[in-house]
Amino acid sequence: MDEDARRWIAASALIGFGQQLYVVLRNQLLHDLDLPMALLGVVQGMGAVTGVIAGVAGIWLLPKFPAAWALRTGALANATGFAVQVGATQAWHFILGAALAGFGIQTLTMASGPFLARRVTDRDRVRTYALQMIAIQTAPGLLGAVLGGELQRVAATYVSVVGGHRVALAMGATSVALALLPLRGLSSDDAPRRDARSLRLSELRRFAVFLAPDAVLFFAAGLAVPFLQVHLQVAYGAPPHHVGWYFGAMMVAGTLGNLVVPRVARRIGNGRALTLLQLGAAAGFVGLAMAGTVGGAVVALVARYACSVTAIPLWTAALHAALTPQDGETAASWRMVVQSVAWAAANLLAAAALTRGADALRGLFFAAAVSQALAAWGCWRCLVVLSRRREVS
């Protein structure tokens, strides 16, 4: 594997560990501080709004400057945003921290695909993207989810429940900051292309075939995913350390899925594998809405996550395989804008629904299932269209 790709995957593991601590514990901290439930949607939406800013900046900057710069900037902003939230006590503290962290996370996501696309062969494309997903989300996520929940539980016996959350979140911010060490060693072999022309709005139609499914996918996730841990706590009384173990099971399933997906895709085809996985994620949302016990909810939680996170490398690899490196960089920026707008819109709708109480989450799960199923069809159609374009060219 390319040396730069190895460095980015190593940094991804540190970033993923820190991010997973926040996935499991940040929203529970908001709940335990007795802040309004509607703030959950606002905080999640603020991160997405700054993702739009990152995407707009990337439209002009990513084609002209080395992607390594964007990765370093994203990691620094991510760590800073997490650090702000460690000591947050008021709503605006969390909003500010989420904005900074959201800008960083979205910048990392935006730059990662084009960065790897320049460093992989067609044969290893799906495998490399799958390994990066394991590194940034599923493998460190297992450790982060389990260790974060247990660390919160132990620390709470010495300080308080809220203090336990802060100790675990401080570890998350530190882990993301440490990712800057391997990122320092990234080369800048992608020569600055200051004369590169950014994609014009009039040319955006040829990207609409994958921007539309992207929007629906992120709308579905934004309706429900940020509130899963709170749902387990409120609906079933699951304590934080139990939620950590549940999320740890998700990470195991996601890791196994990403390990086997390159082989499965070669056997049945990328398009068929992607569609089946997306439909499986929709079924998982239905299961979460209908579960009557915490056991049933956890089964649906794990199945939904495994299908969703295994589909991501297939989708990303297929898109970058169909685009030139220059178009891939610009497309990544536009995707970030579209994804962030869809995520923010869904978060704000969810926040409005949550003003009626935590029971509204079940309705959001059903809405997410419908959106996810629609996205599955859109992704399949997208791959068909891109395949025809390649044949014509």
Side-chain angles (χ1 to χ4, degrees), residues 142-180:
L142 168 61
L143 181 60
V146 174
L147 182 59
E150 291 300 317
L151 180 61
Q152 187 278 338
R153 180 179 64 84
V154 172
T157 62
Y158 293 97
V159 282
S160 65
V161 172
V162 169
H165 286 309
R166 297 194 192 282
V167 169
L169 293 178
M171 178 181 288
T174 302
S175 180
V176 176
L178 289 174
L180 290 166

Side-chain angles (χ1 to χ4, degrees), residues 28-123:
Q28 293 186 76
L29 173 60
L30 290 172
H31 178 269
D32 290 336
L33 285 171
D34 294 325
L35 293 170
M37 283 286 287
L39 180 63
L40 294 178
V42 176
V43 168
Q44 297 293 154
M46 182 55 64
V49 168
T50 54
V52 174
I53 298 173
V56 170
I59 291 171
W60 283 275
L61 299 179
L62 201 55
K64 298 174 178 154
F65 295 93
W69 293 13
L71 294 179
R72 296 187 192 105
T73 301
L76 180 60
N78 190 172
T80 303
F82 280 177
V84 168
Q85 294 175 80
V86 170
T89 57
Q90 299 180 34
W92 74 268
H93 297 158
F94 286 103
I95 293 173
L96 173 62
L100 290 169
F103 177 84
I105 293 168
Q106 304 290 37
T107 299
L108 291 169
T109 303
M110 176 181 65
S112 173
F115 179 80
L116 289 177
R118 289 180 173 274
R119 292 163 173 82
V120 298
T121 63
D122 287 340
R123 178 179 178 83

Side-chain angles (χ1 to χ4, degrees), residues 343-359:
W343 180 270
N347 287 169
L348 294 175
L349 285 175
L354 288 173
T355 60
R356 295 180 295 170
D359 288 341

Side-chain angles (χ1 to χ4, degrees), residues 289-300:
M290 299 181 64
T293 65
V294 67
V298 170
V299 170

Side-chain angles (χ1 to χ4, degrees), residues 66-390:
W69 293 13
L71 294 179
R72 296 187 192 105
T73 301
L76 180 60
N78 190 172
T80 303
F82 280 177
V84 168
Q85 294 175 80
V86 170
T89 57
Q90 299 180 34
W92 74 268
H93 297 158
F94 286 103
I95 293 173
L96 173 62
L100 290 169
F103 177 84
I105 293 168
Q106 304 290 37
T107 299
L108 291 169
T109 303
M110 176 181 65
S112 173
F115 179 80
L116 289 177
R118 289 180 173 274
R119 292 163 173 82
V120 298
T121 63
D122 287 340
R123 178 179 178 83
D124 293 332
R125 192 179 303 276
V126 172
R127 183 179 70 89
T128 301
Y129 281 104
L131 287 175
Q132 199 266 332
M133 178 58 64
I134 291 172
I136 200 168
Q137 192 162 350
T138 60
L142 168 61
L143 181 60
V146 174
L147 182 59
E150 291 300 317
L151 180 61
Q152 187 278 338
R153 180 179 64 84
V154 172
T157 62
Y158 293 97
V159 282
S160 65
V161 172
V162 169
H165 286 309
R166 297 194 192 282
V167 169
L169 293 178
M171 178 181 288
T174 302
S175 180
V176 176
L178 289 174
L180 290 166
L181 296 178
L183 290 179
R184 287 181 58 193
L186 293 180
S187 68
S188 296
D189 289 342
D190 302 338
R193 299 174 302 284
R194 300 184 190 279
D195 58 342
R197 182 176 63 84
S198 298
L199 182 71
R200 296 174 180 172
L201 285 173
S202 60
E203 299 173 322
L204 193 57
R205 287 185 301 174
R206 62 193 175 95
F207 287 175
V209 65
F210 57 80
L211 292 178
D214 258 356
V216 180
L217 274 174
F218 275 75
F219 184 82
L223 285 175
V225 171
F227 316 109
L228 292 175
Q229 64 273 47
V230 173
H231 175 66
L232 293 173
Q233 185 179 15
V234 173
Y236 306 103
H241 63 286
H242 283 185
V243 175
W245 283 103
Y246 301 151
F247 273 65
M250 284 169 39
M251 298 303 134
V252 172
T255 299
L256 293 175
N258 275 291
L259 286 173
V260 303
V261 72
R263 183 173 299 178
V264 172
R266 284 196 296 268
R267 178 163 296 186
I268 70 174
N270 283 14
R272 185 175 299 174
L274 179 63
T275 303
L276 291 174
L277 288 168
Q278 298 286 18
L279 291 176
F285 279 129
V286 174
L288 281 165
M290 299 181 64
T293 65
V294 67
V298 170
V299 170
L301 183 83
V302 172
R304 186 214 69 83
Y305 178 82
C307 290
S308 178
V309 80
T310 304
I312 292 174
L314 284 175
W315 181 232
T316 306
L319 293 183
H320 282 285
L323 299 169
T324 66
Q326 291 77 16
D327 276 353
E329 291 165 343
T330 305
S333 301
W334 278 108
R335 288 184 69 202
M336 183 53 58
V337 173
V338 170
Q339 291 168 1
S340 298
V341 170
W343 180 270
N347 287 169
L348 294 175
L349 285 175
L354 288 173
T355 60
R356 295 180 295 170
D359 288 341
L361 270 171
R362 295 187 186 276
L364 291 175
F365 291 151
F366 280 120
V370 174
S371 298
Q372 183 79 47
L374 179 61
W377 176 83
C379 290
W380 175 75
R381 286 295 304 162
C382 169
L383 296 184
V384 171
V385 171
L386 291 178
S387 177
R388 289 173 181 171
R389 286 182 182 178
R390 285 195 299 270

